[in-house]
Amino acid sequence: MSDNTAHEEPELVQLLTPEGVFTEHPDYPLDIDPEEVRGLYRDLVLVRRVDQEAVALQRQGELGLWASLLGQEAAQIGSGRALRPDDMAFPSYREHGVAWCRGIQPRELLGMFRGVTNGGWDPNEHGFHLYTIVIGSQALHATGYAMGVQRDGSVGENGSAVISYFGDGATSQGDTNEAFNFAAVNNAPVVFFCQNNQWAISEPLERQSRVPLYKRASGFGFPGVRVDGNDVLACLAVTRSALNNAREGQGPTLIEAFTYRMGAHTTNDDPSRYRVAAELEEWERKDPILRMRAYLENEGLADDAFFAQVETESDRLAERVRHECRTMSDPDPLDIFAEVYAEPNVHIDRQRAEFADYLASFEDSGAEGGR
Amino acid sequence: MSTNLTIGKGINAGLRRAMEADPKVLIMGEDVGKLGGVFRVTDGLHKDFGADRVIDTPLAESGIIGTAIGLALRGYRPVCEIQFDGFFFPAANQTFSQLAKMRRRSAGKLKLPVVIRIPYGGGIGAVEHHSESPEAYFTHTAGLRAVTVANAVDAYWMIQQAIASDDPVIFFEPKRRYYEKAEVDTEAPLHAAAPMGGARIARPGTDATLVAYGPMVKTALQAAAAETERSIEVVDLRSLAPVDYDTVVESVKRTGRLIVTHEAPLTGGLGSELAARVTEECFYHLESPVIRVAAFDTPYPQSRLEEHYLPDLDRVLDGVDRAFAY
Ligand SMILES: Cc1ncc(C[n+]2csc(CCOP(=O)(O)OP(=O)(O)O)c2C)c(N)n1
């Protein structure tokens, strides 16, 4: 996999080495105080914990499926913490860390994977759109939304920006490439945040692209940058810069966060069929959390009490997630007919009424499952 | 030689035999290579036929169908896998406006032997876009054939027939039935198998005709078995486009009643088409209106509600009762 050694190329923006040593980057200065740095560490630990619990809950039959973010925490927290409240994010289905940054409760995420809802939160309230499963679709939604932001005159000093998340596989879709082009020709205030985790289910990056993904942007006429996706500080700095450019009217940026999916694609997947263990080991050495912890310790930015407190908090969170998942009740069967249309719809009303009668016929007969 | 196969393994064995018989047969799709597809339907083919014939494509459905059209124009016989029903739609333009129409546009000079395999239907507890029954879009589009299988015997033979067909064939695989088993004689000659265009009487009966296809055939057979007083004939449609109306009409002429069931939403579904046709062709034989037992006209719900959304044994039996209420 020749391209996979490309993380050593000079264009990879990195602020923290895997050993936790900080170096300033001339193009991406980082304005952040120690409190915020500790906050990032806390975020990384807590979202990883939520993710681990969700995987466990799926194994226990409490969730139908889960798409793990293991290994991608830094890309998501770094970019997520770069967002301002009135920015809008358009995620795919693995962006649990970004959701966390947007104030979405873990239980709201679990609902979709448990099968009690097809959505789970109010996108406008959180500035975080619903998870999108059909690959690439949301890149166009983000671009259109950004075109709206532009038309509303919300670009400028206190302007807002839009960010779209997708994977390396998604860069093969027509929709994603159309989004790049619409964003470019309209100079739309949108940031395309590609988490290149090296795999699209079983297909390695070489099956999607012959060029490093960030270079795609130049063909469409806007800047692309590759950032170390396991370095939360670099992800924060690069995303902040791209969002600022967008909101100031300088148009789109493609960020390729070079990272790795350490778990399976989803809980249905078996990565041992297509990838070798050595690859995982190599990436484990670049773990985003270990690196931040080393940095905090080396620089004396956090003490043992801090780490212990994050640990306790993480245990409590895990317990809460488990409890909230297990006690989530099933929706009413008539919810099937809810909110299909904005306007009253006689057709749906009729089917709902017929189905309600049908269900009631079982209650009347008192029998489980009818005849 | 008779082998006990699941539907999934039956398709796999059928693909293998078609690839051995004709070097022009190609498999293409997302994850069809080393992984063997997310349902393992192409398991082992990559290893035995190589990456040139079992192609892991980029993640782009329009690209898969569009390039399959080009390969077919060049003499290949591509078998495309769409990973799940809900992911077909990015390929809709290539399928509906290009693939379906090229033969006629070329006045028969061009052949489009493309197969599009789509695992479809619900009942597996999946997240959204993984449980849809989009067959009506395809049956509404002239130029496409559409078939579906309900057992391993058909799975094995019909995939080979679909590949052998010079028309584009949409091959719907009932994903919740992938693991259903049957004895398959895998060494019989292909021409001896029942043609994929015809319907099959899955269970003879005299009092009503119950038409089903794909995943609902099993439920229909259970319903017929549960009816002790009435004799229900079950027809497995097999071909959705074109529908073998002769078999259905003959059956209804004998029984006098028709119930059609499918997982797809009611309105504009295949059941509506069958009801109209049967009413036209055997109005005077009918003892009751044609009854449709289908899913609701709503988006496929969250998985915790799918047992209510999909027609189950009770709903089918209720439909049978309604047919006898006249
Ligand atoms: C249009 C479409 N085709 C196929 C799928 C099935 N599918 C789900 S995830 C996935 C791989 C996605 O890879 P990538 O874009 O790299 O994102 P990642 O999951 O690695 O984060 C595929 C093929 C889908 N969801 N949508």
Side-chain angles (χ1 to χ4, degrees):
Chain A
M1 280 190 278
S2 54
D3 276 349
N4 287 10
T5 55
H7 57 279
E8 269 131 21
E9 286 175 21
E11 67 267 18
L12 181 82
V13 178
Q14 187 183 71
L15 301 185
L16 267 191
T17 65
E19 295 73 36
V21 177
F22 182 86
T23 325
E24 264 188 45
H25 193 287
D27 301 332
Y28 300 100
L30 188 66
D31 177 17
I32 187 170
D33 63 39
E35 189 61 40
E36 284 174 282
V37 177
R38 282 190 292 272
L40 291 173
Y41 174 82
R42 174 181 171 271
D43 287 336
L44 295 175
V45 171
L46 296 185
V47 298
R48 178 169 291 185
R49 190 59 185 267
V50 170
D51 189 73
Q52 282 171 337
E53 282 315 307
V55 171
L57 284 161
Q58 196 280 336
R59 300 260 148 79
Q60 294 156 18
E62 298 287 344
L63 298 177
L65 181 83
W66 182 252
S68 168
L69 64 36
L70 187 66
Q72 300 179 219
E73 296 88 348
Q76 296 193 15
I77 297 300
S79 60
R81 286 296 178 212
L83 294 168
R84 291 189 195 158
D86 55 358
D87 292 337
M88 185 72 186
F90 286 83
S92 143
Y93 44 77
R94 202 191 289 285
E95 272 69 75
H96 321 313
V98 187
W100 171 264
C101 297
R102 301 306 275 167
I104 310 266
Q105 291 297 315
R107 69 165 175 279
E108 297 176 280
L109 296 177
L110 297 183
M112 181 163 172
F113 294 94
R114 189 175 166 91
V116 303
T117 167
N118 279 341
W121 55 88
D122 178 347
N124 290 325
E125 186 189 322
H126 293 280
F128 188 76
H129 189 71
L130 302 175
Y131 274 2
T132 304
I133 290 179
V134 182
I135 302 289
S137 304
Q138 75 280 11
L140 280 168
H141 308 161
T143 301
Y145 194 94
M147 288 160 63
V149 168
Q150 198 177 33
R151 274 165 181 67
D152 291 345
S154 302
V155 177
E157 189 102 334
N158 287 316
S160 53
V162 182
I163 190 165
S164 171
Y165 288 88
F166 47 82
D168 40 298
T171 63
S172 293
Q173 284 286 356
D175 276 8
T176 308
N177 288 278
E178 291 178 24
F180 290 170
N181 200 34
F182 271 68
V185 301
N186 290 295
N187 202 43
V190 58
V191 173
F192 297 109
F193 194 93
C194 174
Q195 288 170 85
N196 175 1
N197 66 10
Q198 315 303 328
W199 292 92
I201 312 189
S202 74
E203 298 196 11
L205 188 56
E206 303 89 82
R207 289 309 299 161
Q208 309 296 340
S209 185
R210 285 294 299 270
V211 298
L213 296 177
Y214 75 98
K215 288 197 176 164
R216 292 268 183 100
S218 69
F220 288 93
F222 58 91
V225 51
R226 177 181 277 180
V227 59
D228 183 337
N230 286 20
D231 172 353
V232 68
L233 299 182
C235 289
L236 176 66
V238 167
T239 313
R240 255 190 200 164
S241 156
L243 287 167
N244 280 336
N245 289 344
R247 63 176 129 250
E248 282 164 13
Q250 294 172 50
T253 303
L254 170 62
I255 299 173
E256 177 192 358
F258 204 81
T259 181
Y260 190 73
R261 185 193 89 208
M262 286 161 81
H265 168 71
T266 66
T267 43
N268 276 344
D269 177 41
D270 173 12
S272 71
R273 290 181 72 106
Y274 54 81
R275 73 183 188 193
V276 294
E279 187 181 299
L280 177 60
E281 282 160 26
E282 184 196 325
W283 281 92
E284 274 168 351
R285 287 193 288 277
K286 301 177 194 160
D287 188 301
I289 298 187
L290 296 182
R291 154 179 339 197
M292 264 302 264
R293 186 172 176 132
Y295 171 61
L296 289 170
E297 286 173 346
N298 294 346
E299 299 291 316
L301 291 169
D303 54 14
D304 288 349
F306 169 78
F307 292 116
Q309 181 222 315
V310 172
E311 205 47 44
T312 314
E313 199 181 344
S314 147
D315 288 342
R316 274 205 217 107
L317 177 62
E319 207 176 303
R320 196 182 90 206
V321 167
R322 278 196 300 276
H323 177 73
E324 287 176 344
C325 180
R326 294 208 177 102
T327 53
M328 216 177 279
S329 52
D330 282 356
D332 183 305
L334 295 180
D335 184 58
I336 289 174
F337 303 93
E339 303 299 350
V340 180
Y341 298 99
E343 308 276 336
N345 184 291
V346 283
H347 188 62
I348 294 286
D349 289 349
R350 187 176 155 172
Q351 287 194 5
R352 184 202 281 113
E354 282 170 2
F355 187 55
D357 284 349
Y358 173 76
L359 289 176
S361 73
F362 292 118
E363 281 156 27
D364 294 346
S365 71
E368 248 308 279
R371 316 157 35 121
Chain B
M1 195 190 69
S2 173
T3 318
N4 198 257
L5 291 178
T6 62
I7 288 184
K9 291 255 161 59
I11 298 167
N12 178 279
L15 288 170
R16 175 177 289 278
R17 184 160 145 170
M19 293 184 82
E20 278 163 358
D22 182 354
K24 297 288 187 187
V25 176
L26 305 175
I27 308 276
M28 49 199 290
E30 295 155 12
D31 303 294
V32 296
K34 270 192 192 162
L35 188 65
V38 292
F39 290 105
R40 310 287 184 261
V41 171
T42 57
D43 199 16
L45 301 177
H46 179 266
K47 188 167 135 273
D48 296 342
F49 295 94
D52 266 1
R53 291 191 65 196
V54 181
I55 308 164
D56 265 335
T57 66
L59 208 177
E61 286 74 12
S62 180
I64 295 170
I65 307 303
T67 57
I69 291 173
L71 282 159
L73 294 175
R74 183 69 191 182
Y76 286 87
R77 307 187 86 86
V79 184
C80 305
E81 175 173 302
I82 297 294
Q83 205 156 72
F84 277 92
D85 33 56
F87 308 144
F88 162 76
F89 297 102
N93 169 53
Q94 287 293 346
T95 307
F96 298 141
S97 33
Q98 302 301 321
L99 180 64
K101 297 184 176 170
M102 260 181 211
R103 178 185 172 82
R104 182 177 156 77
R105 285 182 55 217
S106 74
K109 299 280 187 302
L110 300 177
K111 279 195 305 194
L112 279 304
V114 174
V115 176
I116 305 179
R117 295 181 34 240
I118 308 181
Y120 81 122
I124 62 163
V127 291
E128 64 168 352
H129 309 296
H130 290 73
S131 302
E132 294 168 15
S133 298
E135 59 269 21
Y137 298 107
F138 298 86
T139 60
H140 194 67
T141 301
L144 302 176
R145 297 186 69 178
V147 299
T148 182
V149 298
N151 58 57
V153 176
D154 278 349
Y156 178 72
W157 293 114
M158 283 168 69
I159 188 65
Q160 295 178 62
Q161 292 165 337
I163 294 169
S165 170
D166 282 340
D167 284 320
V169 180
I170 316 300
F171 193 87
F172 285 109
E173 302 174 6
K175 65 174 88 87
R176 71 165 147 143
R177 307 289 189 214
Y178 266 140
Y179 305 100
E180 300 281 325
K181 288 187 168 177
E183 289 294 322
V184 186
D185 175 3
T186 52
E187 268 156 33
L190 179 56
H191 63 78
M196 69 174 183
R200 175 179 74 100
I201 310 278
R203 177 187 166 116
T206 52
D207 300 338
T209 301
L210 174 55
V211 170
Y213 55 86
M216 287 304 293
V217 171
K218 183 176 179 180
T219 315
L221 288 169
Q222 286 167 342
E227 283 286 352
T228 43
E229 256 125 72
R230 302 157 179 156
S231 163
I232 310 294
E233 176 147 304
V234 176
V235 176
D236 171 3
L237 224 45
R238 297 169 84 246
S239 178
L240 311 181
V243 166
D244 172 9
Y245 286 115
D246 290 350
T247 300
V248 177
V249 164
E250 274 163 34
S251 172
V252 174
K253 282 184 177 166
R254 272 186 279 110
T255 65
R257 288 183 170 82
L258 175 64
I259 304 106
V260 189
T261 184
H262 51 63
E263 285 192 11
L266 184 80
T267 301
L270 217 49
S272 314
E273 192 53 40
L274 275 151
R277 176 60 78 107
V278 163
T279 308
E280 281 170 10
E281 293 202 14
C282 28
F283 185 68
Y284 292 107
H285 293 84
L286 283 170
E287 313 263 347
S288 72
V290 178
I291 303 291
R292 292 166 299 161
V293 182
F296 305 116
D297 293 325
T298 65
Y300 199 91
Q302 56 271 52
S303 63
R304 292 273 169 156
L305 293 182
E306 68 181 345
E307 57 166 321
H308 294 289
Y309 177 82
L310 295 173
D312 61 359
L313 180 57
D314 282 324
R315 285 251 295 276
V316 174
L317 288 171
D318 180 67
V320 172
D321 281 349
R322 280 191 280 139
F324 280 96
Y326 290 85

